[in-house]
Amino acid sequence: MRLEAQNNWTITGRVLEEGSGEAMAAANVSLYSTDSTLIVGVSTDADGIFSLKTTRGGDCFMSVTSMGYAQQRFDFALSNDNRNIIHTDILLRLSDVELSEVEVVARRRPMIYKLDRKVIEASGYISASGGTAIDILEQTPSMRVSADGELTFRGSSGFKVYIDGKPSMTDGSDALRQIPAGQIENIEIISAPSARNEADGIAGIINVNTKKQSNNGWSGMVNAMASTVESRNIDFLTSYKNNKLRWQTSGETSRRYLVSDFDQWKHIDVNDTLTTTHAVGERKSFVDMYALRSALDLLREKTTWSAALESRYRIRNRGGRLHYDDSFRSNATGEESTVSYDGHDYVRLHDLTLRGDVGFEHRFTNDGHKLSGSFFAFYEHDAMEFFYTDLFDAQGNRAQGHRAWEHEYRLTAQGNLDYVLPLNNKNGRFEAGYYFFTYTEDGDYTIDFYNPAQGAFERRDDLYNRFVFRRDIHALYSMLSHTYAKFGYQIGLRGEFIHRTLENNVAWAQHVWDKFDLFPSAHLSYSLNENNRLNLGYSRRITQPQLFYMEPYVVYVDYYTAQCGNPRIRPEYTNSIELTWNRTMGEHSAAATLFHRRRTDKIERVRVPYHTGVTLDSMANVGNDYSTGAELAATLQIAKWWNTDVNGNLFYYTIDNEYKVDDAKSLNWQLALNHNFDIGKNTRMRLEGYFVGPSVSTQGRVDEFFYLNFTIRRLMFDRCLSAALNVRDVLSTAKYVDTKTGVDLDSKTRIYPRSPLFTLSLSYTFNNFKSQRGEGKTNHDLFEGTNR
């Protein structure tokens, strides 16, 4: 039966993820006639809300879909007595994948694409247990971990890290290494952030969502890990929830090692002398972490109040024992000489951090009209960095050395207020907000040099440095979004005023910097059908120089390698655009992304001759760079017992700068091929192959390398306990070869990790927390010693 067209019907509702209860943004909601002819379709907004309007009545059905989730279908009739149909909560369940003939287990698709982000499901990467967030991210397209453990995305490490939507206490890779993989629900990669987000971080934002309890009662988990290089970790998470509150406490104690064999040649021409230095030996680093966090949410009908407290004590150690063979040749006379030393270098950094968070969200109505706010502050007490380097001659006598101390106190605070107003019967929304940020660091630096004639260390008062650094940011933003059938858009504009000061006892390093900037963003989406979607995103971003980029004093990584900041460093700016297509095909899925990024005033560490045999690394705005390329990811269910994840990227990268001596262009690529095999009811095996292509920097290149990882995992005691063994770099093929060339210098560094590396991990869960099905640690974080 079909009713006359002069009537109007409205169908409204909200789409949530089953289990977590999280709003499903950009889900497809379509209304069909009984012969499957499309009548109208829309996409849900950021709160999962939708509104369909039609003038065509009669029998029909509504389909609700999202990439990686099972379809929901609702059959009903649009009659004169039923003009407004309301679906309060529509729950979408993650697609079930049949894993074996013995049993069927629901497995989340490893990657889900939304309007302005892609979501990495932690449970889809089974080799991350016992590791950290880096171990999950490195298995995704365009993520790469350098030899010193720095994560880069499309060639840049300038990304911001959030935890549950709130900024972390540290930046970049350092923050990700502090988040145990066993406590992660999913990770959102926002490569073209909207104006709602802070503008800092040219590579975008990585938001790590930790596990939350959705059902009432007690739940918890305990994870433990140990490896053959003496890494170990124990972390726990416990939670309680009822209808009025949710309380959660987590903690960690860990020590994570990197051990590598180091081999480096340096040729330096300075002071009319050509010096050749060959260094060989072992480099080792480890981080001790002790952390405790507790959070409380008070759940009311219209308002949710939240508060959290966190304390963390961290010790970072890095050092090496190297043998040096030096040769010297005078350019004037041709006279040559040689000398050998044994070198010991060591860096120890420790800090105690205390943090507090408060927040609220008030819902005026159930259609997404809300006001929310949050504030946090953390204080880093008596952060101390201690450096020492020593050179000993063949008789074991100290020939040279340094001792240096840097004491710091740091205070960070941030707050925001955000307002959302639904428009046009919930098909659109207006957003606006205010943001402020302040950071203060107060410290000093002292260094002693060894005097061979006196046989003692002497204080260099002329190199003493006293500094106070402060950065304040105030920002306003507004955004407008709307959906029309299959088409959706989101546009925004953010304005930020930045005030930066550096007080210093060295007059030339003092400065005050004020700047106002505008940061626009735009996102478009189009649903070709229920299983095909196109997303287009644009964003302008900035990378603010950190204080260590600007510190105007010299520190020694080892006796032959010095580092110094640059107080005059300028921010980086980037404009990026990307187009993403994704499709589901039953149990299979695929996605492709085309992207282009232009960065101005690129910040990079540049190496120059310092004095005889010693190089100096300093930060500089080296020029502009460009990245253009594609990413591809696919999940294939080859058999009931065999699943394959494939991802890779290919992009052209070029640097236009004044420091290059060769053509700074490269075709970068990376490929990951991962196989999961189900062996019986409770045992799974994973084989990972990583192919990492060459890359260029301002002064050189890093060679390609390849390695294999293997994991086997067993579930026991009704899936409450899992045990996994991971073998990293099975064939010992991983290597890091870095070549740098500059005016009057060149160097070549080879680093070989200790491999194969064996890691055993255990995980126990009870009540509502389910096993992450993750086992074994894997990452490209194989090397120690690359800043040499």
Side-chain angles (χ1 to χ4, degrees):
M1 180 183 73
R2 179 178 174 181
L3 300 181
E4 294 301 319
Q6 65 265 25
N7 296 312
N8 294 306
W9 288 268
T10 301
I11 306 167
T12 59
R14 182 172 62 166
V15 182
L16 305 176
E17 182 185 52
E18 184 178 297
S20 70
E22 293 182 357
M24 295 285 295
N28 297 314
V29 184
S30 304
L31 186 67
Y32 295 90
S33 62
T34 53
D35 62 359
S36 297
T37 300
L38 178 66
I39 300 173
V40 64
V42 297
S43 296
T44 58
D45 65 14
D47 293 312
I49 295 171
F50 68 89
S51 178
L52 290 170
K53 288 186 176 182
T54 180
T55 59
R56 178 173 176 175
D59 295 331
C60 58
F61 69 90
M62 183 176 71
S63 171
V64 183
T65 62
S66 186
M67 298 292 291
Y69 292 82
Q71 178 190 18
Q72 284 274 42
R73 172 172 168 152
F74 301 88
D75 294 277
F76 47 82
L78 298 178
S79 65
N80 290 331
D81 298 328
N82 191 18
R83 298 290 185 88
N84 294 291
I85 299 176
I86 300 175
H87 289 271
T88 53
D89 290 333
I90 299 173
L91 302 179
L92 289 190
R93 173 176 50 83
L94 287 155
S95 299
D96 290 354
V97 180
E98 192 174 42
L99 299 182
S100 67
E101 296 182 355
V102 179
E103 66 174 359
V104 176
V105 178
R107 181 174 65 224
R108 295 189 174 189
R109 297 192 184 277
M111 192 177 304
I112 298 171
Y113 288 80
K114 297 187 178 181
L115 176 63
D116 61 348
R117 68 196 63 197
K118 52 188 173 186
V119 182
I120 312 301
E121 297 293 344
S123 60
Y125 297 88
I126 70 169
S127 54
S129 180
T132 66
I134 285 183
D135 306 300
I136 299 171
L137 283 166
E138 66 172 1
Q139 302 180 57
T140 62
S142 293
M143 290 291 183
R144 178 171 179 167
V145 179
S146 68
D148 54 350
E150 291 300 311
L151 185 75
T152 60
F153 178 56
R154 296 173 184 168
S156 174
S157 59
F159 54 83
K160 301 294 288 186
V161 175
Y162 282 57
I163 303 174
D164 295 324
K166 301 175 182 178
S168 68
M169 291 190 288
T170 51
D171 293 323
S173 302
D174 193 30
L176 295 170
R177 277 191 289 266
Q178 298 173 28
I179 309 173
Q183 298 182 15
I184 297 173
E185 181 70 22
N186 59 53
I187 301 176
E188 298 173 326
I189 301 175
I190 311 171
S191 52
S194 68
R196 181 191 309 113
N197 306 109
E198 61 177 298
D200 196 13
I202 62 167
I205 293 172
I206 294 177
N207 180 45
V208 180
N209 292 307
T210 59
K211 293 184 176 180
K212 300 290 190 303
Q213 183 172 346
S214 57
N215 300 323
N216 289 345
W218 286 94
S219 297
M221 64 167 52
V222 179
N223 305 297
M225 175 274 291
S227 78
T228 51
V229 294
E230 300 182 11
S231 293
R232 58 263 194 189
N233 172 79
I234 297 177
D235 65 83
F236 74 91
L237 174 63
T238 184
S239 180
Y240 174 77
K241 181 181 180 296
N242 60 30
N243 294 330
K244 294 184 177 181
L245 64 85
R246 177 171 53 216
W247 170 79
Q248 189 162 295
T249 296
S250 61
E252 176 190 10
T253 175
S254 64
R255 171 172 286 192
R256 301 183 186 274
Y257 271 100
L258 282 177
V259 183
S260 295
D261 293 316
F262 181 89
D263 190 336
Q264 181 183 71
W265 288 88
K266 283 185 183 180
H267 304 278
I268 304 170
D269 196 341
V270 65
N271 297 330
D272 203 33
T273 300
L274 175 63
T275 303
T276 299
T277 299
H278 182 209
V280 61
E282 178 189 84
R283 300 214 62 87
K284 179 186 293 187
S285 69
F286 67 88
V287 178
D288 289 334
M289 176 71 69
Y290 308 91
L292 184 66
R293 185 178 190 273
S294 187
L296 177 66
D297 297 324
L298 298 179
L299 312 175
R300 300 296 181 259
E301 181 180 359
K302 292 290 187 179
T303 306
T304 298
W305 301 92
S306 61
L309 291 174
E310 181 176 358
S311 64
R312 183 196 69 191
Y313 181 65
R314 179 180 55 169
I315 305 172
R316 290 170 288 173
N317 296 270
R318 182 180 70 243
R321 291 179 175 268
L322 304 178
H323 178 77
Y324 298 94
D325 290 316
D326 296 346
S327 65
F328 308 93
R329 183 173 62 84
S330 171
N331 295 331
T333 66
E335 181 180 354
E336 296 184 359
S337 61
T338 61
V339 66
S340 296
Y341 296 105
D342 287 320
H344 301 167
D345 60 84
Y346 177 76
V347 180
R348 177 185 174 92
L349 307 90
H350 67 76
D351 56 73
L352 173 65
T353 304
L354 302 174
R355 171 169 174 159
D357 291 74
V358 293
F360 77 94
E361 179 180 282
H362 178 72
R363 298 169 293 278
F364 298 100
T365 59
N366 291 326
D367 62 359
H369 187 197
K370 63 182 180 179
L371 177 69
S372 60
S374 65
F375 174 82
F376 76 84
F378 62 85
Y379 175 63
E380 296 171 87
H381 175 71
D382 194 25
M384 195 276 285
E385 301 180 33
F386 171 60
F387 308 80
Y388 86 66
T389 64
D390 283 319
L391 286 183
F392 298 94
D393 61 23
Q395 290 72 41
N397 300 314
R398 181 183 283 109
Q400 296 289 346
H402 310 95
R403 299 287 186 269
W405 299 263
E406 183 177 316
H407 289 87
E408 298 168 340
Y409 296 86
R410 310 181 188 119
L411 177 63
T412 303
Q414 178 177 312
N416 60 277
L417 191 65
D418 304 285
Y419 176 72
V420 180
L421 175 66
L423 301 173
N424 195 18
N425 294 320
K426 307 175 188 176
N427 286 331
R429 57 191 278 163
F430 170 77
E431 300 178 55
Y434 167 72
Y435 161 95
F436 83 89
F437 170 88
T438 182
Y439 173 80
T440 301
E441 183 168 333
D442 187 340
D444 65 358
Y445 175 77
T446 305
I447 187 169
D448 295 348
F449 280 72
Y450 183 72
N451 185 335
Q454 300 295 327
F457 286 90
E458 297 179 347
R459 179 65 44 89
R460 289 287 303 272
D461 292 331
D462 58 316
L463 298 179
Y464 173 78
N465 194 264
R466 179 76 173 85
F467 57 89
V468 178
F469 173 76
R470 179 166 179 171
R471 176 183 290 123
D472 296 319
I473 301 175
H474 296 270
L476 293 171
Y477 76 88
S478 63
M479 295 176 56
L480 183 66
S481 59
H482 207 283
T483 57
Y484 300 92
K486 296 183 177 183
F487 173 76
Y489 74 84
Q490 179 193 85
I491 56 174
L493 181 65
R494 185 182 186 91
E496 288 195 351
F497 175 75
I498 304 165
H499 172 74
R500 186 180 81 198
T501 62
L502 177 60
E503 300 175 19
N504 201 281
N505 64 317
V506 179
W508 64 267
Q510 299 178 13
H511 70 267
V512 177
W513 191 82
D514 294 302
K515 184 73 179 294
F516 177 79
D517 273 311
L518 292 175
F519 299 96
S521 68
H523 295 83
L524 306 175
S525 68
Y526 183 76
S527 297
L528 302 173
N529 54 48
E530 290 185 352
N531 296 316
N532 284 271
R533 175 186 290 272
L534 291 173
N535 294 325
L536 179 66
Y538 162 80
S539 183
R540 182 174 189 256
R541 307 282 294 168
I542 186 175
T543 294
Q544 300 287 352
Q546 303 302 309
L547 176 58
F548 72 86
Y549 290 4
M550 297 182 281
E551 294 168 336
Y553 48 83
V554 175
V555 298
Y556 284 82
V557 180
D558 58 47
Y559 186 80
Y560 291 87
T561 307
Q563 294 180 351
C564 182
N566 176 3
R568 301 302 177 185
I569 201 80
R570 300 183 302 276
E572 295 178 330
Y573 290 90
T574 185
N575 289 272
S576 61
I577 187 169
E578 59 182 52
L579 175 67
T580 299
W581 165 83
N582 50 80
R583 174 180 173 83
T584 56
M585 300 158 284
E587 296 177 349
H588 314 295
S589 64
T593 300
L594 300 176
F595 63 88
H596 174 74
R597 185 187 70 198
R598 179 179 184 271
R599 175 166 49 177
T600 59
D601 278 337
K602 171 181 168 62
I603 298 174
E604 190 171 317
R605 192 178 297 277
V606 175
R607 177 166 292 177
V608 297
Y610 188 39
H611 55 79
T612 304
V614 179
T615 56
L616 177 67
D617 295 345
S618 185
M619 308 304 294
N621 295 105
V622 298
N624 304 330
D625 69 351
Y626 310 84
S627 300
T628 304
E631 298 168 355
L632 178 66
T635 301
L636 306 174
Q637 191 69 36
I638 299 174
K640 292 181 178 180
W641 50 272
W642 181 8
N643 171 270
T644 297
D645 300 325
V646 183
N647 71 73
N649 69 79
L650 179 70
F651 66 94
Y652 179 74
Y653 179 73
T654 181
I655 305 173
D656 181 13
N657 69 86
E658 61 184 280
Y659 293 90
K660 66 180 181 182
V661 293
D662 294 318
D663 195 22
K665 300 177 181 179
S666 68
L667 189 64
N668 298 292
W669 58 269
Q670 184 172 330
L671 177 66
L673 183 61
N674 306 320
H675 298 277
N676 302 290
F677 304 96
D678 294 295
I679 306 170
K681 182 178 180 179
N682 291 313
T683 303
R684 182 173 298 165
M685 183 176 69
R686 180 174 173 91
L687 183 65
E688 303 170 342
Y690 293 98
F691 307 81
V692 183
S695 62
V696 299
S697 63
T698 297
Q699 291 183 295
R701 59 171 278 142
V702 176
D703 291 353
E704 67 278 1
F705 61 92
F706 156 78
Y707 64 95
L708 289 174
N709 296 336
F710 170 80
T711 302
I712 188 166
R713 186 269 341 255
R714 175 76 177 175
L715 296 177
M716 297 168 282
F717 301 110
D718 194 28
R719 294 183 172 270
C720 290
L721 178 67
S722 69
L725 177 67
N726 173 258
V727 186
R728 186 171 58 178
D729 192 16
V730 175
L731 304 178
S732 299
T733 54
K735 64 181 185 299
Y736 174 85
V737 180
D738 179 20
T739 303
K740 284 184 170 62
T741 303
V743 178
D744 296 327
L745 75 87
D746 62 81
S747 66
K748 189 164 190 175
T749 304
R750 297 181 178 90
I751 301 174
Y752 304 91
R754 296 289 173 85
S755 61
L757 173 63
F758 293 81
T759 302
L760 176 66
S761 61
L762 300 173
S763 180
Y764 179 78
T765 64
F766 65 90
N767 291 352
N768 294 324
F769 282 132
K770 303 301 180 184
S771 172
Q772 188 175 325
R773 301 182 182 92
E775 51 286 316
K777 180 181 177 183
T778 176
N779 57 38
H780 300 328
D781 192 358
L782 301 169
F783 317 96
E784 165 56 28
T786 58
N787 288 332
R788 309 293 184 275

